[in-house]
């Protein structure tokens, strides 16, 4: 952005912010320095500026100008919508946030801008190595705004158009998930953000739903339980050599997988609550020939059929 | 983004200026140097930006329309504001960036539940209008047990460790002495990167495949340069596989490093992957089944029979056992 543009935008905000009444486009053309005089050129420049400011999060409202005849519309930025409420951060708290932003990287999200708004960098924060890298997602900010402002979301997912009350955004095992109420299905659903097709649309109405208390419970997200299928309990035998990684593949506190037997040779028997055959198979086959479905027979048959199709000449 | 360079993206420059103005107005004449350091801005850029701010509204006949007064004297800055007193509210992605990174760090063992980060997150949640933990949950997926804490302490103390490691790609257990340089999370898994004395080279190890870690008394000197965190360095002469992926298997190209991706139309992709070892490829092919077609595979990985042979090996177990045990 050129110096001239920064200057023009700053003047534009100053004119609109807390203006006593909505300011018409014509008035802006005359009052904000740096706009072209010709009306069509002004329009084009002003539209672009408006878009840039909205992208920055500047809440420009369009309102009717009172007592105007003929009725006219004007622009205004309301103070309460523009200003950040002071969170009252102490220096050590600001430093902690800054350290977190440096230690955990969230790809492509505007951490720097956020820290400036909170008062910039605290001097003398220890430099720290990056500890974790959270991948981003093009829809992350839209989904989060829905969660924060209780706005409904619309998006396409697995070939179906969804309308969802977004309850909670969750990151686990390297992926972002949205937990919410799916109006089409009439039930709670979990969506993988990277499986959402195209952009998420955020509906206008804020406060459109209330988040139920059960939204707080931990997501059930093991791959064999991300599905709608009739639940079955699988029994899986894991050979001694593979036992370590099998144990680690359980989520802490996960109820969907349990070690039910430790055999003298070091092998394990797991019980798993399966609602996705595909997810279960994917888990099982990572052990190659070091694991075996003991039952129930239908699940064992499912795996055998799958493998036979691959083994067929 | 390096905001100190003069080519700061447009909107960032304006946002930073707004933030500088409201912060300075709250202070009692901070030094130029302090503002520069705090907002990561160079001296000439800061001078330009402050001058620009001081000119806002100057075209108006009414002096009251000048919302920003700036006084620079003796290396200090005084700002008086009649508008812009508070910074612009946080956008959803800014709020998310702060809350997500903070919550992530707070979820690591050893984090103080009443420390400054926890307090900051509570205050931020208040500004964003949510309860802490209500809107967002971050789980960096640390494996069970004390592997993480032992390794993190060893990194800090520069002590060598001995690992009992299960190599997933090769499907084998090994013991190795490692100089642990760093512990970090990426793509949902935790790794320790360091010097492996067994192969005399830099290696990354997944924490959830470490069966046992024993800290040793021997110490090491970490490298002057921080390690490159690239997890898998494809060996130029190493084996390759070319796969055609059905639309439902496109994720393979997202989660594994590809050497080339070709769009075949109708959602199908042709990808070339560098493969570390044969068991890795076998797992992928058995999981994908009909969703992937083998176009070309190196003989070192089993050639065109790789998937069939692996499937038969696994099937042999089911035929041997037969009945439910």
């Amino acid at each position: 952005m050129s110096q001239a543009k920064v200057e023009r935008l700053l003047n534009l905000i100053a004119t609109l912010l807390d203006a006593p009444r909505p300011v018409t486009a014509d008035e802006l053309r005359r009052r904000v320095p740096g706009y072209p005089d010709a009306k069509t050129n002004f329009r084009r420049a002003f539209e672009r500026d408006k878009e840039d400011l909205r992208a920055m999060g500047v809440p420009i409202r369009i309102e009717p100008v009172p007592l105007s005849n003929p009725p006219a519309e004007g622009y205004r930025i309301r103070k309460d919508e523009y200003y950040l409420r002071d969170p009252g951060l102490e220096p050590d708290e600001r430093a902690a946030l800054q350290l977190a932003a440096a230690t955990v990287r969230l790809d492509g999200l505007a951490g720097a801008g956020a820290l400036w708004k909170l008062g910039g960098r605290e001097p003398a924060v220890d430099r720290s190595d990056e500890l974790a890298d959270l991948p981003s997602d093009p829809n992350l900010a839209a989904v989060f705004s829905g969660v924060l402002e209780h706005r409904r979301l619309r998006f396409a997912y697995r070939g179906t158009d969804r309308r969802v009350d977004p309850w909670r955004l969750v990151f686990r095992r390297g992926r972002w998930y949205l937990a919410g109420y799916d109006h089409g299905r009439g039930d709670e659903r979990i969506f993988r953000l990277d499986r959402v097709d195209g952009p998420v649309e955020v509906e206008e109405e804020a406060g459109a739903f209330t988040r139920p208390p059960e939204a707080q419970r931990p997501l059930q997200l093991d791959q064999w339980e991300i599905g709608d299928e009739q639940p079955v309990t699988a029994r899986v035998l894991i050979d001694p050599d593979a036992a370590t990684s099998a144990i680690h593949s359980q989520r802490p506190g996960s109820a969907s997988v349990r070690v039910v037997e430790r055999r003298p040779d070091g092998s394990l028997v797991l019980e798993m609550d399966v609602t996705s055959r595909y997810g279960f198979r994917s888990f099982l086959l990572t052990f190659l020939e070091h694991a075996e479905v003991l039952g129930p027979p239908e699940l064992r048959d499912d795996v055998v059929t799958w493998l036979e199709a691959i083994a067929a000449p | 983004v390096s905001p100190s360079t003069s080519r700061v993206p447009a909107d960032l420059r304006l946002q930073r200026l707004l933030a500088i103005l409201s912060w300075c107005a709250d202070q009692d004449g901070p030094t130029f140097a302090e503002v520069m350091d705090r907002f990561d801005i160079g001296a000439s850029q800061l001078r330009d930006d402050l001058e620009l701010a001081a000119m806002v509204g100057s075209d108006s006949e009414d002096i009251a329309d000048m919302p920003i007064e700036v006084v620079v004297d003796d290396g200090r800055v005084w700002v008086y504001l009649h508008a812009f007193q508070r910074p612009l509210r946080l956008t959803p992605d800014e709020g998310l960036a702060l809350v997500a990174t903070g919550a992530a760090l707070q979820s690591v063992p050893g984090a103080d539940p009443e420390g400054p980060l926890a307090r900051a997150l509570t205050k931020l949640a208040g500004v964003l209008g949510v309860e802490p933990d209500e809107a967002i949950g971050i789980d960096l997926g640390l494996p069970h047990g004390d592997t993480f804490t032992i390794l993190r302490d060893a990194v800090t103390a520069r002590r060598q460790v001995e690992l009992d490691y299960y190599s997933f790609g090769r499907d084998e257990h090994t013991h190795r002495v490692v100089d642990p340089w760093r512990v970090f999370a990426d793509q949902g898994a935790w790794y320790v990167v360091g010097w492996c004395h067994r192969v005399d080279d830099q290696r990354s190890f997944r924490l959830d495949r470490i069966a046992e870690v024993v800290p040793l008394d021997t110490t090491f000197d970490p490298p002057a340069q921080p390690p490159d965190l690239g997890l898998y360095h494809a060996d130029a002469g190493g084996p390759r596989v070319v796969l055609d992926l059905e639309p439902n298997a496109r994720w393979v190209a997202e989660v594994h490093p590809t050497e080339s991706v070709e769009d075949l139309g109708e959602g199908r992709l042709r990808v070339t992957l560098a493969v570390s070892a044969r068991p890795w490829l076998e797992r992928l092919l058995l999981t994908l089944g009909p969703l992937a077609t083998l176009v070309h595979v190196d003989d070192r990985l089993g050639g065109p029979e790789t998937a069939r042979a692996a499937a038969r090996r696994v099937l042999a177990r089911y035929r041997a056992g037969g009945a439910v045990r």
Side-chain angles (χ1 to χ4, degrees):
Chain A
M1 195 187 299
S2 64
Q3 176 95 358
K5 175 137 181 177
V6 175
E7 193 169 350
R8 193 173 70 223
L9 289 182
L10 200 53
N11 272 295
L12 181 58
I13 302 175
T15 309
L16 296 179
L17 184 57
D18 205 20
R21 59 170 185 81
V23 187
T24 64
D26 212 41
E27 289 171 304
L28 284 173
R29 182 168 58 90
R30 280 180 280 118
R31 280 173 55 184
V32 177
Y35 277 124
D37 274 337
K39 275 197 176 170
T40 48
N41 293 348
F42 160 76
R43 262 292 169 194
R44 207 174 304 136
F46 174 59
E47 288 301 323
R48 241 194 335 260
D49 286 357
K50 222 165 51 181
E51 255 170 54
D52 288 344
L53 288 180
R54 284 192 171 137
M56 281 171 48
V58 177
I60 301 182
R61 280 173 165 265
I62 304 178
E63 293 173 350
V65 180
L67 304 176
S68 54
N69 191 17
E73 282 192 328
Y75 302 89
R76 178 149 66 157
I77 300 169
R78 284 171 49 169
K79 214 162 59 172
D80 56 327
E81 291 178 346
Y82 176 97
Y83 286 139
L84 175 69
R85 260 175 54 211
D86 185 359
L89 293 174
E90 301 296 328
D92 65 332
E93 293 161 357
R94 190 159 35 229
L97 286 175
Q98 183 184 319
L99 188 64
T103 314
V104 181
R105 209 159 56 97
L106 186 52
D107 292 337
L109 279 195
L115 288 170
W116 289 336
K117 289 179 181 176
L118 296 176
R121 184 163 65 192
E122 283 303 319
V125 169
D126 288 341
R127 289 229 168 265
S128 171
D129 282 337
E130 190 183 316
L131 183 69
D133 196 352
L134 308 185
S136 190
D137 184 280
N139 286 316
L140 210 45
V143 170
F144 193 58
S145 73
V147 172
L148 287 183
E149 290 156 9
H150 296 209
R151 296 172 193 254
R152 293 208 172 94
L153 306 177
R154 289 172 182 274
F155 53 87
Y157 192 83
R158 295 194 182 199
T160 313
D161 288 330
R162 314 282 178 143
R163 185 161 186 248
V164 173
D165 297 354
W167 289 344
R168 195 158 189 251
L169 189 58
V170 174
F171 178 82
R172 59 180 318 145
R173 297 223 173 134
R175 297 185 197 287
W176 288 100
Y177 298 86
L178 166 68
Y181 182 83
D182 183 332
H183 284 266
R185 302 287 166 113
D187 198 4
E188 183 185 345
R189 282 286 181 280
I190 293 156
F191 304 94
R192 251 178 75 172
L193 285 199
D194 61 344
R195 294 279 166 89
V196 168
D197 288 323
V200 168
E201 191 193 320
V202 187
E203 290 187 7
E204 273 298 310
E205 186 194 353
F209 59 88
T210 44
R211 188 192 329 250
E214 67 262 27
Q216 270 285 47
R217 70 172 181 235
L219 285 186
Q220 298 299 302
L221 284 175
D222 284 319
Q223 52 181 333
W224 52 86
E225 11 168 31
I226 305 180
D228 291 338
E229 299 162 24
Q230 190 65 33
V232 290
T233 302
R235 282 169 58 81
V236 178
L237 175 68
I238 311 272
D239 288 351
D241 270 357
T244 306
S245 59
I247 297 265
H248 281 312
S249 64
Q250 297 175 62
R251 286 185 289 112
S254 167
S256 79
V257 55
R258 304 164 290 277
V259 178
V260 292
E261 192 184 336
R262 292 174 193 271
R263 296 188 174 174
D265 65 354
S267 56
L268 302 174
V269 178
L270 304 180
E271 257 185 21
M272 303 164 63
D273 301 328
V274 175
T275 47
S276 160
R277 303 284 189 284
Y278 175 83
F280 172 70
R281 214 165 44 215
S282 302
F283 167 78
L284 180 79
L285 291 174
T286 59
F287 295 98
L288 295 171
E289 68 269 38
H290 304 304
E292 180 181 346
V293 190
L294 300 178
E298 50 140 334
L299 214 50
R300 196 175 152 94
D301 290 347
D302 177 69
V303 170
V304 169
T305 310
W306 175 264
L307 289 169
E308 279 173 345
I310 299 171
Chain B
V1 178
S2 169
S4 54
T5 59
S6 59
R7 292 186 59 82
V8 179
D11 45 336
L12 274 187
R13 188 175 157 204
L14 180 57
Q15 295 193 37
R16 178 173 59 191
L17 175 54
L18 291 169
I20 289 173
L21 292 172
S22 50
W23 183 77
C24 288
D26 272 350
Q27 312 293 314
D28 182 23
T31 66
F32 228 70
E34 185 179 356
V35 180
M36 285 164 57
D37 191 42
R38 189 170 273 271
F39 293 93
D40 209 3
I41 184 171
S44 64
Q45 180 80 67
L46 177 57
R47 199 161 284 123
D48 285 356
D49 282 359
L50 288 175
E51 247 170 52
L52 185 153
M55 296 299 290
V56 168
S58 61
D59 281 21
S60 166
E61 312 83 51
D62 189 351
I63 192 74
D65 283 348
M66 292 189 71
I68 304 163
E69 285 176 66
V70 178
V71 180
V72 178
D73 185 34
D74 196 21
R76 296 173 70 185
V77 186
W78 283 267
V79 174
Y80 307 95
L81 295 177
H82 310 288
F84 304 112
Q85 290 97 332
R86 296 282 317 141
L88 176 57
R89 65 182 181 168
L90 296 169
T91 57
D93 60 334
E94 288 171 337
L96 178 61
L98 291 172
V99 172
T101 56
L105 199 56
Q106 195 63 32
S107 76
V108 169
D112 179 355
E114 278 149 32
L117 182 57
R119 295 197 306 270
L121 287 173
T122 305
K123 289 181 177 176
L124 270 184
V127 168
L128 293 170
V130 289
E131 292 297 311
D133 293 340
E134 189 184 73
I136 191 164
I138 305 275
D139 176 2
L140 291 177
L142 271 167
H144 298 251
D146 47 10
T147 311
F148 173 79
T149 32
I150 292 176
L151 283 171
R152 191 184 50 187
D153 293 349
V155 169
T156 315
R158 300 177 175 186
R159 280 174 67 181
Q160 291 188 321
V161 290
E162 187 178 346
L163 304 183
D164 173 1
Y165 190 66
Y166 170 66
S167 167
F168 185 77
R170 295 177 194 284
D171 194 18
E172 63 185 16
H173 269 273
T174 49
H175 280 265
R176 32 185 108 210
V177 173
V178 171
D179 302 350
W181 294 340
R182 253 183 81 180
V183 179
F184 67 101
D186 189 33
Q187 304 282 324
W190 283 87
Y191 299 85
V192 56
V193 60
W195 190 262
C196 173
H197 290 274
R198 185 166 177 267
V199 294
D200 255 331
D201 199 359
Q202 177 184 328
R203 284 286 185 275
S204 298
F205 303 97
R206 270 182 68 144
L207 264 58
D208 59 357
R209 297 192 184 132
I210 296 174
E212 201 183 356
V213 50
V214 180
L216 304 175
D217 288 331
T218 41
T219 55
F220 65 89
D221 290 322
Q225 285 289 320
D228 169 16
L229 294 185
L231 292 177
Y232 179 61
H233 301 279
D235 175 1
R240 300 286 189 274
V241 63
V242 183
L243 292 176
D244 283 355
L245 302 172
E246 297 302 315
N248 282 346
R250 286 174 71 102
W251 57 267
V252 171
E254 292 155 24
V255 301
H256 299 301
T258 54
E259 296 208 328
S260 71
V261 179
E262 186 190 335
D263 198 335
L264 299 176
E266 293 174 351
R268 300 173 72 240
L269 297 178
R270 173 164 295 179
V271 295
T272 305
L273 302 168
V275 176
S276 55
R278 182 167 170 172
W280 186 90
L281 179 62
E282 289 175 344
R283 286 188 187 99
L284 183 65
L285 294 175
L286 291 190
T287 306
L288 292 176
L291 299 179
T293 312
L294 212 46
V295 178
H296 174 76
V297 63
D298 201 296
D299 283 339
R300 284 172 285 178
L301 298 171
E305 289 299 307
T306 311
R308 266 191 284 275
R312 285 187 190 128
R313 248 175 32 239
V314 184
L315 277 172
R317 264 196 94 122
Y318 289 81
R319 292 189 177 129
V324 172
R325 284 180 286 171

